[in-house]
Amino acid sequence: MLHRLWLGFFLVAFAAALYQWLWLDNAGIFQQLVQATFDMSALTVELAIGLIGTLAFWLGMMKLAEASGLVDKLALAVTPLFTKLMPEVPRGHPAIGSMTMNLSANMLGLDNAATPLGLKAMQDLQQLNPQKDTASNAQILFLVLNTSSVTLFPITIFLYRAQQGAADPTSVFIPILIATSCSTLAGLLAVSLVQGINLLQRTVLLYLGSFVALLMAFIGYFSTLGVEELQRQSSLTGNLIIFSAIIGFLLLAHLRKVNVYEQFIEGAKQGFEVAITIIPYLLAMLVAIGVLRASGALDGLIWLLREGIAGLGMDTRFADALPTAIMKPFSGSGARAMMLETMHSHGVDSFAAYLASVIQGSTETTFYVLAVYFGAVGIRHTRHAVACGLTADLAGILAAILVGYWFFG
């Protein structure tokens, strides 16, 4: 799907350029397209180089989180919940450990660890699946929770905002936390309704009640603040939580007799490798989106969306962030490139860029995760997985827009 989407960007840009040349007499349109390829190529390298240092630091921190046993502890803490939500999975089955490890890694932002753990979890669940070419209830629930899972540390978004010169890169922390929480709850509710899962069980209510209570506490506190104080407190809370996590990783690893310096260096070494690895993917999407905007096609789409929104009597400012929302279910790299392009075009501290950042952090990429995880075990019939995953996506995006107006509007 992604290769068709990428090819489509160039074809649409070419068609839009032909229209501007033949009907609007814009003879310079193709020069603008070529210039866009140069500009976006240069921007790609600037972004990757700017990411190396910060990316290396956080990969070092995450290595300490793994070495300290924090990921294992998180897995152990949520095991009772999975035994209630997935009754067809026997207590003590390896799938429970794999799933909890995967979701714990996602929560901590350990993307490199989350994917192989997720594939292992899907393979373990496939052992219990009586119809090998059809997704089981447990596999669907796991996939939806995976695509909508709460990310406590959306470090990548902070990195890109910092690299683009944001005054306060972490100011989107609390909005993202609220939006991704709404996405997870919506995904769980959607699957529960379809599969008939009883969410009123004591164990489930305890976990969900604690989660919702914490979320409501955040919302309740911030709803009492004025606009300026809201932004100040959001920034303070976000930065306090993040730096406290850094101290926590260090202390936990030290108490476990881990050589914190050597483990940090081991993780940080991956920073350069990861930054170099993402260059081709980032280049492909940024150039494609750059020519799409230069051709006028992207602006035309935004104009159509803005006119439709205005026709409903709604505020149209969020329309500039909608390309990220539209791309998000299909391609994580495409949505990331849309977010970066919005920052580049409107300014990193613009409302559109704030909103695009929150949308980017609100949920995962449903079709990519579905293709990789189900494809790895040979599942062809996905049943209600797509519908429930997209429901979670929609809830996360809507929550991101509402929270974006609340914090930055």
Side-chain angles (χ1 to χ4, degrees), residues 39 71 79 94-95 106 114 121 126 131 133 152 167 211-212 247 263 270 273 276 327 329 335 349 356 397 409:
D39 291 343
V71 175
T79 295
N106 273 332
Q126 184 71 348
Q131 294 179 277
D133 63 343
L152 297 179
F211 180 75
V212 172
I247 299 301
Q263 284 294 319
Q270 302 174 19
E273 299 172 7
I276 297 302
M327 183 66 67
D349 287 325
I397 291 169

Side-chain angles (χ1 to χ4, degrees), residues 129-142:
N129 187 5
Q131 294 179 277
K132 300 303 182 183
D133 63 343
T134 302
S136 67
N137 284 348
Q139 287 173 317
I140 291 173
L141 177 57
F142 170 65

Side-chain angles (χ1 to χ4, degrees), residues 207-380:
Y207 277 88
L208 294 185
S210 301
F211 180 75
V212 172
L214 183 61
L215 181 61
M216 290 298 103
F218 269 113
I219 294 174
Y221 172 69
F222 287 111
S223 65
T224 64
L225 306 177
V227 175
E228 292 185 3
E229 184 65 14
L230 176 68
Q231 294 182 5
R232 191 185 76 83
Q233 289 291 331
S234 173
S235 174
L236 173 63
T237 304
N239 286 306
L240 177 61
I241 291 174
I242 291 168
F243 196 74
S244 296
I246 292 173
I247 299 301
F249 293 163
L250 289 168
L251 289 178
L252 282 172
H254 176 69
L255 292 173
R256 291 290 298 271
K257 309 301 183 183
V258 173
N259 187 321
V260 293
Y261 180 77
E262 290 185 0
Q263 284 294 319
F264 175 83
I265 295 299
E266 187 66 27
K269 288 178 181 178
Q270 302 174 19
F272 182 81
E273 299 172 7
V274 173
I276 297 302
T277 300
I278 67 173
I279 288 180
Y281 303 98
L282 197 57
L283 172 67
M285 295 308 302
L286 277 178
V287 170
I289 293 168
V291 298
L292 198 65
R293 182 177 286 278
S295 71
L298 186 58
D299 290 334
L301 173 62
I302 294 173
W303 179 83
L304 286 174
L305 292 171
R306 185 179 287 111
E307 290 299 305
I309 294 165
L312 298 174
M314 299 169 60
D315 189 322
T316 63
R317 286 180 297 160
F318 73 91
D320 291 319
L322 286 181
T324 303
I326 294 170
M327 183 66 67
K328 187 62 181 174
F330 299 96
S331 166
S333 59
R336 180 173 60 245
M338 286 290 189
M339 176 189 70
L340 290 170
E341 205 279 335
T342 301
M343 293 178 183
H344 186 68
S345 299
H346 297 275
V348 68
D349 287 325
S350 65
F351 176 72
Y354 276 126
L355 191 53
S357 298
V358 180
I359 290 172
Q360 176 70 6
S362 65
T363 185
E364 257 299 336
T365 307
T366 294
F367 286 103
Y368 170 79
V369 174
L370 185 146
V372 172
Y373 283 22
F374 281 173
V377 293
I379 287 176
R380 298 195 302 272

Side-chain angles (χ1 to χ4, degrees), residues 67-88:
S68 68
L70 181 59
V71 175
D72 294 334
K73 287 183 173 64
L74 286 174
L76 184 63
V78 297
T79 295
L81 177 63
F82 278 112
T83 59
K84 297 296 184 181
L85 294 178
M86 302 176 179
E88 64 268 42

